[in-house]
Amino acid sequence: VSAAALDIADAVLRHTAGDEAEAIVLTEHSGLARFAGSEVHQPTLIDNATVTVRVVRGTRVSVALTNRIDDEGLRDVARRASESADSAPEDPTFPGLPDREPLPDVAGYDEETAELAAADQARLAEAAIAGAGSTLAYGYFTSARTELAVASSRGVAASQAMTDVTTLVLGAGEDLSGYAERTAWRVRDVDPEAVGREAAEKASRTHGALELASGVYRAVLERYAVADLLEYFAYDSLGALGLLEGRSYFTGRIGQAVFDPKITLADDSLDERGLPKAFDFEGQPKQRVPLVEEGVARGVVWDRQAAAQANDAQPSTGSAVPPHVRGFFGPIPLALSLAGGEADSLDELAQVVDDGIHVTRLHYLSVVDPREGVITGMTRDGTFRIRGGKVAEPLVNLRFTLSVPDLLADVPALTREVRLVNSSSYYDERYPYGVLAPALATARFTVTGVGSRPGI
Amino acid sequence: VRDLCERAVEAALASGASYADARVVTRRSQHVLTKNGRVEVVNDVESEGIGVRVLAGNAWGFACDRRLEPAGAEGAAGRAVEFARAAAGSHHRDLASIEPAEGTYRTPCERHPFDVSLEDKIGLCLAAEEAMRRPEIKVTQASVRALQERKTLVSSEGTAVVHELVECGGGIDAIAVSDATFQIRSYPSAHGGISRQSGWEYLDELGLVTEAPRVAEEAAALLQADVCPSGTTDVVIGAEQMALQVHESVGHPTELDRVYGTEASYAGTSFLKPRDLGSLAYGSSHMNILSDATTPGGLGTFAFDDEGVPARREHVVREGVLSGFLTSRETAARIGAGAGGSMRADGWSRMPLVRMTNLHLEPGEGSLEELLAGVREGVYLDTNRSWSIDDKRLNFQFGTQLAREIRNGELGRLLRDATYTGITPVFWASLDGVAGPEEWRLYGVTNCGKGQPGQSAHVSHGAAPARFRSVQVGVQT
């Protein structure tokens, strides 16, 4: 199933005249049935193939991309990359292209999912809408077959076909809204009707939301909120460039206790519960990368360029992103995995919190201070007061401005169950990724204001 | 290309669509980013394809194909109709009527950015970086970008228009780090600089190398600055930050698709309702917001939008009152006002959505100094560092790279880590002055996100410094 992308990669390499060259091919065959007001209104079918060519002349490096995959298009993209390489200055820190490495066997491809057609995607979107019942549904069903291949003049020849499925539903009305989402690489692991039902049930409890005074609250964060916070924290703090440039909270803290001992966090692309990957965008093998173990900062993710900039004090962790997007952030974890705890349910977390708030999901996060891991954003689509260990009255959307390390420093409990949360918003080329997260209880969630009420 | 579009439209109609449009887009872009004296990114990206949108029964369908050949065009048309039929809706969808359009629009351009060598682009970035070097600066970075896009739109109603757009831009950042803090200064704007529809002459105007020493000096100075104190105070917000304030708290909430909820599952909705048109007090009488798809140099400038609607220039807020929405043909018909004109798609593989074009805070009068003179005690804020706003665009919080104390009408000590927050209509009601045309600047961003699958729009905002009374600065806990 993965020959096609690798064939394209091999074909473009035949046109490169550089000293060394690498070709990355990402193909996409996807459908997304987006609905609003319980009707599909923006259905999008995409077929595309993107070829990225990196040409190296000595230590001069350049990248060109195209989606023209006929012979003329491949010849042209190779020429553009070669000409650009001639224009680039020498880069003494460039580590050269990597050699071929053995790759792990991973899951992540499902034929039934790969074969879903437009009619199936529309049908599954309708199932999600039906699940929401009389509550109006807003969201989408999407599935895709993507394929990534990396080949190089140094013998790298890696390819992987992947599938992914997501159903997202916002059940909403004039003054109520609830949210649910499921993601998997097998369509049989996602029940759109159940997602719709969950969103509508959540929405039904948000009518008549009340305001809340600013302050520091104990809180239950559902896995959607946990995943969002971890991702935004990771941009600056869990990648090698953030560490090297002093943006990371982990700067000077590797080996130190930074979080609650119940927090163990990894970047793990091999986990079958996630969206598994065998290799990164340089064809280097994926691995489980410990980031935090029992509250102690263990490291960040690296690609070969960042490793070279650190004088090879660290090896690559197989975390290279596509060369055209490496830019500011450098290598970042694309398969965050937070270990679960011992709580059996959200209700049990509410009992632990006793007096606080319940947060379903977050909205529009932004990093206020990367060095201290300070992030602001809003809660949305299911914020409640917790009183006497039980979820109580609904709350309006709350503004929070908090330090993620502070939030994770006192975590009384996490759920045993860990679920995949989709991270992709499907900008540009599709590359499925997500976060494996439990729900958790924290002693410190800092509310700094109130905003809009639930609902449309 | 026009033949290919016509073929797609005909194929869609033959498959049962009642309306169809086809867009062929070929896009090429270059991006150079240097960091700490090394070339981090040299990208040369091209993409082409055809997107076909159909209305079949009561449902939209969209499909695309990268192949610019009859099989690709007709195949996409067939799949679009198939998808529309598979997800048939029950709501009738009217489109505001328009006259069929024909025409070609080209960005005025003195020096095409692709005629500038890659060596010169890299050289400019490295020179700007070199000019930012000083001991306190841990990271310097500079970037330039260029884009050309040729877009052909043909519809089943007889529209056939061509756009040939050229954009370029750039920016620099100096990042200072100490044991205690991390500070950044950027020019001419945060988050990658500013772009315009223009030739390379715009990069010459920017003067990245000339401005670099000041930028680095300010970043270094921020390491020694006091943290901006929290409290309720008067603020004067610089033009650059005002551009983002307009974008987030006026642009997005006036998108009529958000008002109707069709963006609810991702970007959010709006605190506005259709019935608010013509009556809602959005802000003070100093607030005039103009949507203008004809602004010279604007990233949202065109002759026709992606539905073939002629470029429009109209207020969305006039003297503080909501006076218009940003619309598509469908939403304009639904509200019974306007005729669309804000539909834009990101490339060939996405459906058009209601997007901002160029949205400006119109200038008032006087200078920045005159605005400051009206503040006994307050804070001057500029250059965005963080941004967040709720799903209905009510509660916002922005952080800025730079702040300065204002005392007795004059700028005082430098302050760092400033944020300000507010509720949109309350905040705009506190506007009591906008500086004049001489302080007005045009900013352009290329990362406005919306839609599922996601789309990035390129939009411009003109703004001048503005003064607001009694604003919450800093975080209240």
Side-chain angles (χ1 to χ4, degrees):
Chain A
V1 291
S2 55
L6 196 55
D7 287 347
I8 299 168
D10 287 338
V12 73
L13 284 180
R14 286 196 287 274
H15 293 303
T16 55
D19 297 330
E20 293 185 15
E22 173 191 79
I24 303 167
V25 176
L26 185 58
T27 65
E28 170 182 353
H29 176 74
S30 70
L32 189 148
R34 191 183 197 202
F35 45 84
S38 294
E39 278 204 359
V40 174
H41 69 116
Q42 287 170 359
T44 299
L45 296 171
I46 297 175
D47 275 287
N48 199 11
T50 306
V51 180
T52 305
V53 184
R54 180 160 64 155
V55 164
V56 182
R57 291 194 161 164
T59 59
R60 299 170 189 266
V61 185
S62 178
V63 173
L65 280 81
T66 189
N67 72 336
R68 292 191 293 134
I69 59 171
D70 57 9
D71 192 61
E72 184 188 344
L74 296 180
R75 188 186 306 275
D76 188 53
V77 72
R79 176 188 57 76
R80 286 190 288 120
S82 296
E83 288 176 0
S84 297
D86 285 338
S87 302
E90 297 282 351
D91 178 5
T93 70
F94 180 65
L97 296 178
D99 294 322
R100 184 172 186 158
E101 299 279 352
L103 300 178
D105 288 328
V106 295
Y109 181 80
D110 175 56
E111 194 64 38
E112 181 188 5
T113 307
E115 290 179 357
L116 290 175
D120 302 310
Q121 288 147 352
R123 173 178 51 80
L124 291 162
E126 294 291 351
I129 292 167
S134 59
T135 304
L136 292 177
Y138 301 77
Y140 63 84
F141 174 88
T142 184
S143 67
R145 177 190 189 281
T146 51
E147 189 174 345
L148 177 66
V150 181
S152 80
S153 54
R154 295 190 64 83
V156 170
S159 66
Q160 181 183 357
M162 298 164 275
T163 49
D164 70 279
V165 178
T166 294
T167 304
L168 180 154
V169 178
L170 180 76
E174 182 69 26
D175 61 348
L176 47 88
S177 58
Y179 178 85
E181 177 254 304
R182 290 289 185 279
T183 294
W185 54 272
R186 283 182 293 235
V187 66
R188 64 178 174 274
D189 292 339
V190 173
D191 180 349
E193 193 170 345
V195 176
R197 206 162 41 241
E198 180 181 329
E201 190 282 324
K202 177 71 67 71
S204 71
R205 294 187 277 124
T206 61
H207 174 75
L210 303 175
E211 295 193 346
L212 185 74
S214 296
V216 179
Y217 290 85
R218 293 169 68 83
V220 171
L221 305 186
E222 290 198 30
R223 63 185 184 283
Y224 310 120
V226 173
D228 251 3
L229 282 174
L230 290 177
E231 266 195 297
Y232 273 76
F233 179 69
Y235 289 142
D236 290 297
S237 285
L238 300 180
L241 280 195
L243 196 70
L244 293 174
E245 294 171 0
R247 276 182 284 123
S248 169
Y249 180 76
F250 280 16
T251 301
R253 291 187 168 106
I254 301 289
Q256 295 180 12
V258 290
F259 299 150
D260 187 288
K262 287 187 275 304
I263 298 296
T264 291
L265 180 67
D267 182 45
D268 189 357
S269 292
L270 307 181
D271 194 324
E272 191 171 326
R273 299 171 301 169
L275 295 163
K277 310 286 186 308
F279 55 89
D280 69 2
F281 283 83
E282 289 186 315
Q284 296 298 286
K286 285 288 186 184
Q287 56 185 275
R288 179 184 166 85
V289 184
L291 303 170
V292 179
E293 288 179 326
E294 296 180 349
V296 176
R298 290 300 181 202
V300 298
V301 297
W302 295 80
D303 63 7
R304 296 172 65 261
Q305 178 67 53
Q309 287 173 243
N311 299 317
D312 288 324
Q314 296 279 343
S316 166
T317 55
S319 305
V321 296
H324 69 287
V325 300
R326 188 174 187 273
F328 188 76
F329 288 115
I332 53 173
L334 293 177
L336 285 169
S337 176
L338 179 62
E342 296 182 349
D344 287 325
S345 66
L346 289 170
D347 289 343
E348 191 174 328
L349 292 182
Q351 288 167 20
V352 169
V353 162
D354 185 49
D355 181 359
I357 59 175
H358 176 108
V359 176
T360 297
R361 71 179 290 218
L362 308 177
H363 176 78
Y364 217 133
L365 276 62
S366 186
V367 177
V368 176
D369 181 347
R371 183 65 174 266
E372 296 304 317
V374 177
I375 291 173
T376 191
M378 297 295 300
T379 68
R380 185 179 165 183
D381 306 323
T383 308
F384 303 93
R385 194 78 165 85
I386 294 173
R387 295 181 190 276
K390 293 187 183 308
V391 174
E393 71 271 20
L395 299 171
V396 301
N397 298 329
L398 305 174
R399 170 153 306 280
F400 62 88
T401 304
L402 53 80
S403 152
V404 172
D406 187 45
L407 181 143
L408 293 178
D410 190 351
V411 177
L414 305 93
T415 56
R416 194 181 318 275
E417 184 186 34
V418 170
R419 281 192 191 164
L420 179 63
V421 178
N422 175 45
S423 296
S424 178
S425 299
Y426 316 110
Y427 286 89
D428 302 318
E429 295 80 30
R430 185 155 170 152
Y431 179 73
Y433 66 108
V435 177
L436 283 166
L440 62 78
T442 175
R444 301 185 62 79
F445 187 89
T446 306
V447 175
T448 57
V450 294
S452 55
R453 313 183 73 77
I456 298 297
Chain B
V1 167
R2 179 170 172 168
D3 288 348
L4 207 59
C5 290
E6 287 173 347
R7 233 178 228 268
V9 167
E10 286 163 12
L13 296 178
S15 298
S18 57
Y19 169 85
D21 57 42
R23 277 178 303 112
V24 166
V25 181
T26 58
R27 185 187 271 183
R28 184 182 174 199
S29 63
Q30 279 185 343
H31 180 214
V32 173
L33 169 68
T34 65
K35 185 186 268 194
N36 285 346
R38 66 175 286 274
V39 177
E40 181 71 36
V41 173
V42 181
N43 284 340
D44 188 326
V45 181
E46 64 173 16
S47 180
E48 65 179 29
I50 183 169
V52 183
R53 185 179 69 144
V54 304
L55 197 51
N58 292 313
W60 288 106
F62 178 83
C64 57
D65 201 299
R66 61 179 171 71
R67 298 169 298 167
L68 292 183
E69 54 194 58
E74 291 165 0
R79 291 195 301 278
V81 174
E82 180 192 356
F83 211 178
R85 290 201 184 288
S90 57
H91 294 129
H92 190 64
R93 296 183 190 276
D94 291 321
L95 303 181
S97 64
I98 57 168
E99 292 295 316
E102 288 233 17
T104 298
Y105 174 85
R106 292 185 180 86
T107 302
C109 178
E110 291 176 22
R111 189 180 179 200
H112 197 291
F114 288 102
D115 291 339
V116 177
S117 72
L118 208 49
E119 285 97 330
D120 285 352
K121 288 167 179 158
I122 293 169
L124 172 61
C125 289
L126 292 174
E129 271 204 76
E130 181 62 33
M132 287 190 285
R133 298 255 192 283
R134 47 186 296 153
E136 306 92 330
I137 303 300
K138 175 101 171 173
V139 178
T140 57
Q141 58 187 16
S143 65
V144 295
R145 63 176 290 276
L147 176 143
Q148 66 176 13
E149 180 175 284
R150 183 181 169 87
K151 177 167 60 180
T152 302
L153 169 71
V154 170
S155 83
S156 57
E157 296 176 343
T159 286
V161 295
V162 176
H163 286 78
E164 295 178 359
L165 307 177
V166 176
E167 296 177 3
C168 57
I172 56 175
D173 305 295
I175 296 168
V177 179
S178 70
D179 289 342
T181 187
F182 167 98
Q183 296 296 321
I184 181 168
R185 281 296 285 143
S186 306
Y187 171 82
S189 176
H191 317 305
I194 299 178
S195 289
R196 276 203 190 164
Q197 257 190 46
S198 170
W200 195 253
E201 57 274 13
Y202 178 58
L203 264 293
D204 296 334
E205 284 173 30
L206 279 180
L208 297 180
V209 179
T210 308
E211 295 289 338
R214 174 188 61 81
V215 170
E217 185 183 336
E218 289 179 356
L222 281 166
L223 291 181
Q224 308 303 322
D226 294 328
V227 172
C228 184
S230 296
T232 302
T233 190
D234 295 345
V235 299
V236 174
I237 299 176
E240 185 189 339
Q241 174 60 29
M242 279 309 302
L244 187 66
Q245 182 77 50
V246 168
H247 179 97
E248 302 289 7
S249 68
V250 185
H252 283 304
T254 54
E255 294 166 344
L256 194 52
D257 60 338
R258 290 183 65 122
V259 173
Y260 282 127
T262 49
E263 193 60 34
S265 60
Y266 180 51
T269 58
S270 173
F271 68 94
L272 302 172
K273 300 294 179 193
R275 62 177 178 271
D276 294 332
L277 185 61
S279 62
L280 181 122
Y282 212 116
S284 76
S285 60
H286 297 275
M287 183 186 186
N288 288 288
I289 305 287
L290 181 70
S291 174
D292 182 4
T294 70
T295 306
L299 294 174
T301 296
F302 48 69
F304 304 94
D305 77 351
D306 285 342
E307 289 190 312
V309 177
R312 301 174 71 87
R313 186 175 189 276
E314 56 199 356
H315 283 91
V316 296
V317 178
R318 188 192 291 273
E319 296 183 350
V321 176
L322 178 70
S323 57
F325 285 109
L326 307 178
T327 61
S328 61
R329 293 179 64 192
E330 183 182 359
T331 53
R334 188 166 170 186
I335 200 172
S342 292
M343 283 290 265
R344 307 175 68 195
D346 180 7
W348 55 274
S349 62
R350 299 291 189 273
M351 288 181 89
L353 302 173
V354 176
R355 305 304 301 247
M356 288 169 248
T357 57
N358 307 301
L359 195 76
H360 311 312
L361 172 64
E362 291 196 300
E365 56 188 23
S367 64
L368 171 62
E369 286 70 27
E370 287 172 276
L371 277 187
L372 293 169
V375 177
R376 192 175 62 80
E377 191 172 331
V379 182
Y380 173 77
L381 303 156
D382 204 12
T383 312
N384 184 259
R385 182 166 165 173
S386 63
W387 68 105
S388 174
I389 187 163
D390 78 22
D391 57 318
K392 290 185 181 170
R393 301 277 151 171
L394 275 174
N395 179 309
F396 63 81
Q397 178 176 309
F398 294 109
T400 60
Q401 291 183 359
L402 177 140
R404 283 193 182 278
E405 190 177 54
I406 306 172
R407 274 196 184 276
N408 299 319
E410 294 193 345
L411 291 176
R413 63 186 172 131
L414 186 67
L415 300 168
R416 65 176 170 91
D417 301 337
T419 63
Y420 69 100
T421 186
I423 299 294
T424 294
V426 176
F427 174 77
W428 282 104
S430 74
L431 172 69
D432 85 337
V434 182
E438 64 280 4
E439 303 276 3
W440 194 88
R441 302 283 183 275
L442 185 64
Y443 298 88
V445 299
T446 59
N447 62 345
C448 174
K450 190 176 177 183
Q452 290 166 320
Q455 303 191 34
S456 294
H458 298 190
V459 301
S460 284
H461 303 289
R467 184 174 61 211
F468 297 82
R469 302 294 185 184
S470 300
V471 173
Q472 172 65 41
V473 172
V475 169
Q476 192 175 37
T477 57

